[in-house]
């Protein structure tokens, strides 16, 4: 596996949970659908690797934040569909507020830097 | 979390399907965008990435990963162990021996020392005795007990009991039963309920109450086929009818004094002893009590000392200086063996340590042979932690297999240990391999596994991968060899400590066997004889006549060289005392001011029969009978104590309970009544002999239902016991002869605990010696093997075989001697813990120490010699070409 691939996993760690939970906020979805939604909603910036997505889904499932059921898709294909649980909704709220804090903090750190580079 | 194989398989399939559907949807999207299905599928596949890895990482999220790794490690470990069956076999066997011995001993310690007594609220149970001016644990008189019972405030119940033998007639062949006189609360104190029926009610133990009895489950089964109808039936004991009130379950057991295998329990009041209502007569009664909830033993002592002082005020004649001794029941039951068991536990711990050290050594040697394997595994990406875990898994696997085998060995070893101790161990019936013991086994197995697994694991860690691979697996680093050297030193030291302890025990026991008991114990048989029940109502003269007849019949048995009736004390077996004062001195006002002497009531041939030397005067003759004036014979301790510097012959003493004035006619040698070891330290050692036929009538009347008989027989007489039995049966229908015992057996039984500790320590020491020599052998062979090349070069350069031999021997002996030195020093400090188990030998006896150290050194030398010889035979050409 390439170094880039490995880096990407680490980069998304933590935030990936948030993205998955947020995506499922709009309704049950299968793995491919989730990765598709994240990519589309981020304007093709965020590409979720399958190698990180499925481990993350199974981890969230074990933590009982999401549950999975087998459904048959429009193409008559059996797919595993994930759904947000009540516990997962609570988790999403706390992850969101934490994310807001982190991004504020990062913005705060970055703003003086920007001023410096401008100077 | 439940770990189910089927569940797991299902999830695996689902994961495959999930990823497959992902792949298809991705391909479908691409195909929708215009790619050919073939292209779309390949691109989607590429985009997905490493399918195996994704599955692997996802599976880890299921939380089973650690199980899986453990499974891998276990499988790998098993494969590795199976690949070297020699190593595995030796290691498992060593561990099984070590763990098995520990488990066996721990199950004994657990059953005897650790477990609470098998009665409800055992912490409330105490043993009661009457304390006398010079004697802490004397027997309790019945009237005193009644007052204790009435006046105390701290006991919820108390009871006394004593042993007795009844002759059972009217139910099959006449036989002697082990009986116990008890007061009503006896089973209430212990919280034991009858199997059927009831225990005794208050006042059923009074003198003059109706005769009732409780029987053991065993007797109930044997005589009444366990029928409930037995209740209310009568037993004829010594010719008197006792109504059966209840049955005591076989599970009931009390390891206290002579209390074992009781057939029948009878209320105290049924004892026809005229002394029973006398306040000054202890009569061998000992008590048990149950404290009220929350009462401490100190409070009980304070309470009883108050009760005692008011009794002393009320009855100054008998109760001056009389108190109550209260001890926790468990302490009384196991007190003597606790040191012994703890010493043995320490010893067996050493054996296990040696076993672990040996296995650690084997693991080290193997680890160095496996350095390449580890280097390759870590080159392929196994982390250090994973390698250490692998090694620990292997050693735990070994330890657990060894532990399981050890538990099996222990089951067998425990039984063997109990047999060896033969009744010398209190609470023996509570010794078993229960959950607690198995937990102990599991814990020590795991501890062992970690202990000997850690050494090589740590060694593997921090080794340079590169160097190892370059070294080509020979791995001759000095560090590792030093670790092995240290292990050899340690195990040699521990083996020496064990050998010295065992040596000291052997010396003690030899010293004890060489003690002269004061009589010749060989070819002497003791047993009891009881006259038929109708003799209950005979006169004293009638009983004398019947006993003389028994004497005559036995005298006629071929092989009998001398015999004597024996009443009262029997050397090393049971004791009885007489109160006396010496004529010419002022007559004591109360019994408290009289002197005590051990008392033997015997016939004229006793001295000849026992081989006791006559020192002065004469022994009894047939003329010292009921019609002549009373005479006694004393032993030299009596003579020296009460007649210092005078001739006791011709002096008179007054015997309080044996008819008064008697003349001393002879002095004989002292007999070690209290046991070979403890006699010298007892305070009551004076002995007197009284002619049987001169027993006052009331005492003679008591002897109809059982008196002792002793016989010296010709050693060539076959089955003397059977001949005697048929002679006694020949006298008449209901004469009863009780079980025979040889004096040698009695002496040997009195040494049971010494013999046990010697044999067990001896076994442990030999085990330790064997393990240590195997260990030394293994390490020296290994080290010599490592030096094969060097030896080859040395020999090529002209070294003689003798030089090589000396070099390798010295390598091993350096370690051994260091171990011997350390073990010697440690023993000097440690053996004093076992001083109380030793006799006639100091805990630091130089002879034992030096001889044992030499033995160990010689054995070690032999263990080094084999690999040294092999090294000596090294062919330089082969050794050099080997590389």
């Amino acid at each position: 596996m390439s170094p880039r691939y490995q880096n990407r996993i680490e980069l998304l760690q933590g935030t990936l949970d948030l993205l998955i939970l947020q995506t499922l906020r709009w309704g049950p979805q299968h793995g491919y659908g989730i990765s598709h939604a994240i990519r589309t909603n981020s304007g093709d910036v965020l590409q979720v690797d399958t190698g990180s997505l499925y481990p993350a889904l199974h981890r969230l499932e074990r933590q009982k934040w999401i549950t999975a059921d087998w459904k048959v898709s429009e193409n008559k294909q059996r797919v595993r569909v994930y759904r947000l649980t009540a516990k997962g909704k609570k988790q999403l709220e706390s992850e969101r507020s934490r994310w807001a804090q982190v991004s504020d903090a990062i913005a705060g750190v970055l703003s003086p830097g920007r001023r410096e580079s401008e100077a | 979390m439940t770990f189910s194989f089927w569940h797991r398989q299902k999830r695996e399939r689902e994961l495959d399907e999930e990823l497959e559907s992902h792949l298809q949807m991705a391909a479908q999207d691409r195909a929708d965008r215009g790619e050919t299905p073939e292209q779309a599928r390949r691109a989607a596949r590429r985009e997905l990435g490493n399918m195996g890895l994704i599955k692997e990482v996802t599976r880890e999220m299921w939380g089973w990963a650690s199980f899986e790794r453990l499974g891998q490690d276990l499988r790998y470990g098993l494969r590795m162990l199976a690949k070297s069956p020699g190593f595995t076999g030796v290691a498992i066997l060593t561990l099984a021996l070590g763990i098995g011995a520990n488990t066996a001993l721990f199950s004994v310690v657990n059953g005897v020392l650790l477990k609470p007594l098998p009665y409800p609220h055992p912490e409330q149970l105490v043993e009661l005795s009457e304390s006398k001016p010079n004697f802490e644990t004397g027997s309790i008189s019945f009237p005193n007990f009644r007052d204790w019972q009435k006046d105390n405030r701290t006991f919820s119940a108390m009871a006394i009991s004593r042993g007795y033998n009844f002759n059972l007639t009217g139910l099959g062949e006449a036989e002697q039963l082990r009986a116990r006189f008890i007061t009503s609360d006896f089973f209430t104190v212990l919280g034991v309920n009858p199997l059927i029926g009831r225990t005794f009610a208050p006042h059923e133990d009074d003198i003059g109450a109706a005769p009732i009895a409780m029987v053991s489950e065993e007797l109930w089964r044997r005589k009444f086929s366990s029928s409930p109808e037995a209740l209310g039936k009568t037993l004829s004991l010594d010719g008197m009818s006792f109504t059966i009130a209840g049955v005591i379950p076989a599970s009931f057991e009390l390891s206290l004094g002579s209390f074992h295998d009781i057939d029948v329990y009878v209320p105290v009041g049924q004892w026809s002893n005229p002394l029973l209502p006398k306040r000054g007569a202890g009569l061998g009664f000992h008590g048990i009590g149950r404290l009220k909830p929350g009462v401490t033993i100190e409070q009980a002592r304070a309470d009883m000392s108050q009760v005692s002082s008011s009794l002393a005020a009320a009855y100054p004649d008998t109760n001056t200086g009389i108190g109550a001794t209260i001890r926790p029941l468990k302490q009384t039951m196991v007190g003597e063996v606790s040191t012994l068991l703890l010493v043995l536990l320490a010893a067996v711990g050493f054996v296990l340590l040696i076993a672990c050290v040996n296995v650690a050594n084997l693991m080290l040697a193997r680890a160095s042979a496996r350095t390449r394997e580890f280097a390759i595994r870590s080159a392929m990406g196994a982390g250090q932690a994973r390698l250490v875990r692998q090694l620990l898994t292997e050693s735990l696997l070994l330890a657990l297999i060894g532990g399981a085998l050890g538990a099996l060995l222990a089951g067998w070893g425990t039984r063997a240990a109990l047999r060896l101790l033969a009744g010398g161990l209190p609470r023996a019936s509570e010794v078993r391999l229960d959950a607690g013991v198995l937990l102990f086994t599991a814990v020590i197995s795991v501890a062992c596994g970690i202990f000997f697994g850690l050494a090589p694991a740590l060694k593997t860690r921090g080794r340079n991968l590169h160097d190892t691979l370059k070294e080509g697996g020979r791995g001759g680093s000095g560090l590792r060899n030093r670790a092995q050297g240290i292990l050899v030193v340690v195990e040699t030291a521990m083996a020496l400590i064990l050998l010295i302890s065992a040596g000291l025990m052997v010396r003690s026991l030899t010293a004890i066997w060489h003690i002269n008991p004061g009589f010749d114990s060989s070819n002497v048989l003791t047993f009891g004889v009881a006259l038929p029940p109708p003799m209950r109502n005979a006169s004293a003269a009638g009983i004398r006549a019947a006993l003389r007849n028994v004497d005559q019949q036995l005298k006629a048995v071929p092989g009998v060289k001398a015999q004597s009736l024996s009443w009262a004390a029997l050397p090393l077996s049971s004791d009885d005392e007489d109160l006396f004062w010496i004529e010419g001195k002022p007559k004591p006002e109360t019994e408290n001011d009289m002197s005590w002497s051990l008392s033997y009531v015997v016939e004229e041939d006793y001295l000849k029969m026992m081989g006791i030397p006559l020192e002065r005067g004469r022994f009894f003759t047939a003329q010292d009978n009921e019609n002549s004036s009373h005479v006694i014979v004393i032993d030299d301790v009596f003579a020296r104590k009460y007649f210092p510097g005078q001739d006791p012959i011709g002096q008179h003493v007054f015997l309080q309970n044996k008819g008064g004035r008697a003349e001393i006619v002879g002095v004989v040698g002292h007999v070690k009544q209290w046991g070979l070891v403890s006699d010298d330290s007892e305070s009551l050692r004076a002995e007197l002999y009284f002619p049987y036929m001169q027993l006052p009538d009331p005492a003679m009347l008591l002897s109809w239902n059982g008196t002792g008989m002793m016989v010296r027989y010709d050693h060539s007489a076959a089955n003397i016991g059977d001949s005697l039995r048929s002679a006694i049966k020949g006298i008449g229908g209901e004469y009863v002869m009780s079980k025979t015992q040889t004096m040698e057996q009695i002496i040997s039984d009195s040494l049971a605990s010494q013999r046990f500790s010697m044999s067990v320590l001896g076994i442990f020491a030999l085990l330790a010696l064997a393990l240590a020599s195997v260990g030394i052998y293994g390490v020296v062979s290994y080290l010599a093997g490592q030096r094969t090349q060097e030896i080859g070069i040395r020999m090529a350069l002209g070294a003689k075989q003798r030089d090589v031999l000396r070099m390798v021997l010295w390598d091993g002996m350096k370690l051994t001697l260091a171990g011997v030195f350390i073990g010697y020093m440690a023993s000097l400090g440690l053996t004093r813990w076992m001083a109380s188990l030793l006799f006639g030998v100091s805990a630091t006896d130089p002879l034992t120490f030096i001889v044992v150290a030499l033995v160990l050194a010689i054995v070690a030398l032999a263990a080094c010699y084999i690999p040294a010889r092999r090294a000596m035979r090294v062919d330089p050409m082969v050794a050099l070409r080997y590389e």
Side-chain angles (χ1 to χ4, degrees):
Chain A
M1 94 197 74
S2 72
R4 200 178 56 86
Y5 182 80
Q6 269 186 326
N7 282 344
R8 189 99 53 91
I9 298 173
E10 279 158 35
L11 206 79
L12 287 173
Q13 204 100 78
T15 51
L16 181 58
D17 291 3
L18 175 61
L19 295 177
I20 293 171
L21 293 174
Q22 177 62 32
T23 307
L24 290 177
R25 191 91 178 80
W26 312 117
Q29 189 59 277
H30 46 67
Y32 181 75
I34 292 170
S35 83
H36 201 265
I38 291 175
R39 188 164 34 167
T40 322
N41 293 343
S42 68
D44 278 353
V45 173
L46 297 176
Q47 302 225 355
V48 182
D49 277 307
T50 337
S52 328
L53 177 69
Y54 285 96
L57 283 171
H58 284 243
R59 181 160 38 78
L60 295 178
E61 187 187 353
R62 192 167 155 233
Q63 278 159 329
K64 303 214 162 60
W65 293 337
I66 59 178
T67 55
D69 294 302
W70 286 97
K71 294 241 165 74
V72 179
S73 74
E74 304 130 37
N75 312 351
K76 304 281 177 226
Q77 192 175 17
R78 240 166 74 88
V79 289
R80 200 156 190 259
V81 172
Y82 295 90
R83 188 161 41 80
L84 204 57
T85 63
K87 209 176 157 198
K89 278 182 196 143
K90 243 180 259 160
Q91 179 65 19
L92 175 60
E93 291 316 307
S94 80
E95 295 253 330
R96 278 186 75 125
S97 70
R98 209 170 54 113
W99 175 254
Q101 278 177 351
V102 169
S103 68
D104 282 357
I106 291 176
V109 173
L110 293 182
S111 333
R114 198 189 304 148
R115 245 178 280 129
E116 256 173 35
S117 63
E118 277 166 1
Chain B
M1 181 185 59
T2 54
F3 177 72
S4 134
F5 179 72
W6 300 112
H7 184 52
R8 160 112 209 183
Q9 282 218 322
K10 182 170 169 251
R11 285 213 75 167
E12 295 265 7
R13 276 200 308 275
E14 288 186 353
L15 181 60
D16 289 348
E17 195 179 346
E18 185 175 15
L19 290 174
E20 187 55 40
S21 74
H22 180 105
L23 208 56
Q24 283 190 10
M25 283 185 279
Q28 188 62 46
D29 275 0
R30 284 173 180 276
D32 290 351
R33 288 202 293 271
E35 296 182 24
T36 68
E38 185 57 26
Q39 270 177 330
R41 180 147 187 92
R42 223 180 301 140
R45 189 83 183 70
R46 207 164 36 240
E47 202 180 48
L48 187 72
N50 183 341
M51 180 83 95
L53 185 70
I54 293 171
K55 283 187 195 165
E56 169 93 48
V57 179
T58 308
R59 274 200 295 267
E60 287 209 3
M61 296 305 153
W62 296 344
W64 289 326
S66 48
F67 273 99
E68 188 152 350
R69 263 202 304 271
L70 180 67
Q72 275 177 13
D73 283 351
L74 278 178
R75 271 195 303 278
Y76 187 77
L78 278 174
R79 238 186 357 253
M80 288 310 292
L81 294 182
K83 247 170 68 180
S84 36
F87 158 81
T88 309
V90 169
I92 287 179
L93 203 67
T94 308
L95 287 169
L97 283 176
I99 295 174
N102 269 271
T103 304
L105 203 68
F106 179 77
S107 70
V108 174
V109 169
N110 183 46
V112 176
L113 298 186
L114 302 181
K115 267 200 236 171
L117 299 178
Y119 313 111
H121 294 287
E123 71 286 350
Q124 297 170 346
L125 292 174
V126 294
E127 186 222 23
L128 295 168
S129 316
E130 207 176 276
S131 67
K132 327 234 153 148
N134 291 319
F135 196 44
E136 271 292 288
T137 54
S139 56
I140 308 169
S141 79
F142 188 46
N144 273 346
F145 168 74
R146 277 291 194 236
D147 286 325
W148 287 7
Q149 215 179 5
K150 186 161 55 69
D151 298 341
N152 85 81
R153 294 157 205 272
T154 44
F155 287 82
S156 57
M158 52 169 73
I160 52 172
S161 74
R162 66 154 281 150
Y164 194 74
N165 289 325
F166 273 118
N167 299 305
L168 173 68
T169 48
L171 276 174
E173 197 171 319
E175 65 176 298
Q176 197 163 52
L177 297 184
R178 288 183 65 91
R180 199 84 190 169
F181 283 119
I182 62 174
T183 54
S184 292
D185 275 347
F186 187 81
F187 288 105
T188 319
V189 168
L190 295 172
V192 171
N193 295 314
L195 203 59
I196 58 164
R198 58 178 185 91
T199 57
F200 302 144
H203 299 298
E204 281 187 325
D205 56 358
D206 286 346
I207 299 172
I212 53 174
M214 279 183 278
V215 296
S216 69
E217 189 177 346
E218 195 271 332
L219 190 73
W220 181 49
R221 186 182 48 71
R222 194 153 54 86
K223 292 290 185 190
F224 299 98
S225 321
S226 300
S227 153
E229 314 261 291
L231 294 182
K233 288 217 170 118
T234 56
L235 277 183
S236 175
L237 303 176
D238 286 359
M240 260 179 73
S241 293
F242 288 78
T243 309
I244 299 175
V247 176
I248 295 300
S251 59
F252 166 67
E253 195 153 353
L254 185 66
S255 300
L256 204 59
S258 59
F259 201 111
H260 56 88
D261 302 330
I262 303 295
D263 300 308
V264 58
Y265 303 86
V266 171
V268 171
Q270 300 303 322
W271 196 14
S272 50
N273 190 327
L275 296 178
L276 188 62
K278 283 183 81 178
R279 195 169 285 276
L283 305 175
F285 283 111
H286 284 271
I288 52 175
R290 182 177 283 279
L291 302 177
K292 283 183 181 160
V295 169
T296 66
I297 204 154
E298 284 72 27
Q299 288 168 327
R301 282 182 182 138
D303 178 32
M304 286 305 292
S305 97
Q306 215 166 10
V307 172
S308 302
S309 34
S310 45
L311 285 178
Y315 311 101
D317 272 15
T318 50
N319 277 49
T320 310
I322 299 291
T325 302
I326 305 175
R327 293 185 300 176
L329 189 60
K330 186 173 169 188
Q331 185 194 318
T332 318
M333 281 167 66
V334 304
E336 278 172 29
V337 295
S338 61
T339 319
L340 164 64
L341 288 181
L342 293 178
V343 165
L344 292 181
L345 196 63
V348 80
F350 276 137
V351 172
L352 183 60
L353 276 178
I354 295 176
C356 280
V357 165
N358 259 4
V359 178
N361 253 332
L362 284 172
M363 298 279 287
L364 268 179
R366 224 166 72 99
S368 64
R370 286 169 70 183
T371 14
R372 257 176 94 85
E373 172 203 333
F374 291 131
I376 291 169
R377 288 192 70 188
S378 73
M380 297 198 29
Q384 289 289 346
R386 185 78 200 260
L387 284 186
V388 168
R389 201 169 50 212
Q390 173 64 45
L391 275 168
L392 276 182
T393 309
E394 277 174 38
S395 56
L396 280 175
L397 208 56
L398 274 181
L400 289 175
I401 298 173
L405 210 60
L408 289 180
L409 280 180
W412 172 82
T414 310
R415 277 198 298 281
L418 292 181
R419 247 200 321 276
L420 261 176
L421 198 44
L425 185 73
R427 308 182 66 190
S429 64
E430 292 172 58
V431 172
R432 62 179 72 96
L433 286 182
D434 55 17
V437 174
L438 291 178
L439 182 72
F440 170 86
T441 311
V443 168
I444 58 170
S445 305
V446 169
C448 289
I450 292 173
F451 173 80
F452 64 70
L454 222 48
L458 290 179
K459 193 103 297 163
T460 312
R461 223 189 52 178
R463 292 212 66 207
N464 190 315
L465 197 67
H466 267 288
D467 294 352
T468 309
L469 285 174
K470 267 192 302 194
E471 233 177 87
R474 258 183 304 118
S477 91
L479 187 69
R480 179 173 46 248
N481 294 349
R482 200 175 326 129
Q484 279 170 319
I486 290 170
L487 290 180
V488 165
V489 171
V490 168
E491 71 180 336
T492 312
M494 287 191 297
L496 185 66
I497 295 171
L498 277 184
L499 283 168
I500 285 178
S501 314
L504 290 173
M505 285 309 298
V506 171
R507 298 255 300 154
S508 299
L509 202 62
T510 327
I512 293 171
W513 275 121
H514 281 103
I515 296 172
N516 179 1
F519 61 92
D520 175 7
S521 62
S522 58
N523 303 328
V524 175
L525 209 58
T526 85
F527 52 92
V529 177
L531 307 182
M535 292 300 287
R536 172 183 194 85
N537 302 315
S539 65
I543 290 170
R544 282 196 185 94
L547 289 176
R548 283 194 169 111
N549 182 35
V550 170
D551 254 345
Q552 297 246 304
Q553 300 298 321
L554 293 187
K555 202 164 275 169
V557 172
V560 171
K561 291 162 96 178
Q563 103 254 28
S564 166
L565 289 166
S566 153
W567 177 261
L570 179 65
L572 294 137
S573 177
S574 61
D575 62 282
D576 195 28
E577 293 82 24
D578 262 324
L579 280 169
F580 70 92
W581 72 95
I582 294 161
E583 190 181 60
K585 304 224 166 116
K587 178 183 188 294
E589 294 198 359
T590 70
E591 291 191 349
N592 279 316
D593 300 327
M594 297 180 193
S595 307
W596 289 100
S597 167
L598 288 164
S599 144
Y600 304 85
V601 179
V602 299
E603 290 182 290
E604 62 272 12
D605 274 353
Y606 186 79
L607 217 56
K608 178 177 162 206
M609 192 266 312
M610 286 290 269
I612 299 170
L614 177 67
E615 293 187 352
R616 328 187 42 176
R618 66 171 179 90
F619 201 65
F620 308 136
T621 65
Q623 278 67 52
D624 295 314
N625 57 26
E626 62 272 32
N627 302 318
S628 57
S629 60
H630 287 186
V631 293
I632 61 166
V633 167
I634 59 175
D635 79 328
D636 61 337
V637 172
F638 191 118
R640 265 181 281 124
K641 185 162 178 190
Y642 296 104
F643 302 100
Q646 311 167 41
D647 186 359
I649 309 275
Q651 304 267 15
H652 288 82
V653 298
F654 285 89
L655 297 172
Q656 173 76 347
N657 295 320
K658 288 216 172 63
R661 191 168 184 266
E663 183 189 350
I664 299 172
V665 294
V667 178
V668 298
H670 178 70
V671 166
K672 302 225 172 196
Q673 168 69 33
W674 301 109
L676 298 182
V677 179
S678 41
D679 190 78
D680 294 348
S681 54
E682 287 289 336
S683 53
L684 174 58
R685 295 176 70 234
E687 292 162 352
L688 70 80
Y689 295 84
F690 190 87
Y692 203 105
M693 290 304 160
Q694 290 188 348
L695 273 179
D697 287 0
M700 185 55 80
L701 287 176
L702 281 179
S703 77
W704 75 269
N705 76 329
T707 181
M709 188 79 190
M710 298 176 78
V711 165
R712 172 170 293 278
Y713 56 94
D714 195 86
H715 65 94
S716 61
N719 293 330
I720 185 80
D722 293 345
S723 325
L724 291 169
R725 194 174 295 275
S726 56
I728 287 176
K729 266 197 134 169
I731 303 174
E734 294 190 311
Y735 277 79
V736 179
M737 174 175 164
S738 69
K739 231 175 78 187
T740 61
Q741 217 183 355
T742 65
M743 269 328 273
E744 278 172 332
Q745 231 171 329
I746 290 176
I747 291 183
S748 161
D749 285 353
S750 77
L751 299 177
S753 83
Q754 277 98 342
R755 276 186 302 140
F756 175 73
S757 45
M758 187 198 73
S759 359
V760 174
L761 263 181
I763 291 168
F764 290 168
L766 288 180
L767 202 57
L769 183 64
L771 289 176
S773 26
V774 168
I776 294 167
Y777 166 81
V779 169
V780 173
S781 312
Y782 172 75
L783 293 182
Q786 295 266 298
R787 293 175 71 179
T788 308
Q789 245 190 313
E790 179 202 328
I791 292 168
I793 294 172
R794 279 174 189 267
M795 291 181 86
L797 292 178
K800 295 269 185 324
Q801 285 199 336
R802 200 156 17 96
D803 303 326
V804 172
L805 184 74
R806 203 181 299 134
M807 182 183 80
V808 176
L809 272 184
W810 179 235
D811 267 0
M813 289 313 284
K814 261 192 306 205
L815 300 175
T816 309
L817 292 179
V820 166
F821 178 76
I822 294 170
Y824 196 98
M825 290 300 156
S827 299
L828 283 177
L830 286 175
T831 48
R832 66 199 153 94
W833 296 107
M834 57 185 291
S836 69
L837 302 178
L838 300 179
F839 178 84
V841 57
S842 118
T844 54
D845 176 48
L847 181 66
T848 312
F849 272 57
I850 290 169
V851 168
V852 168
L854 277 178
V855 167
L856 180 60
I858 289 167
V859 171
L861 191 67
C864 297
Y865 182 73
I866 302 167
R869 260 185 85 84
R870 200 183 308 133
M872 179 181 91
R873 300 253 168 79
V874 162
D875 180 343
M877 288 318 289
V878 174
L880 289 174
R881 216 182 294 133
Y882 183 71
E883 191 46 17

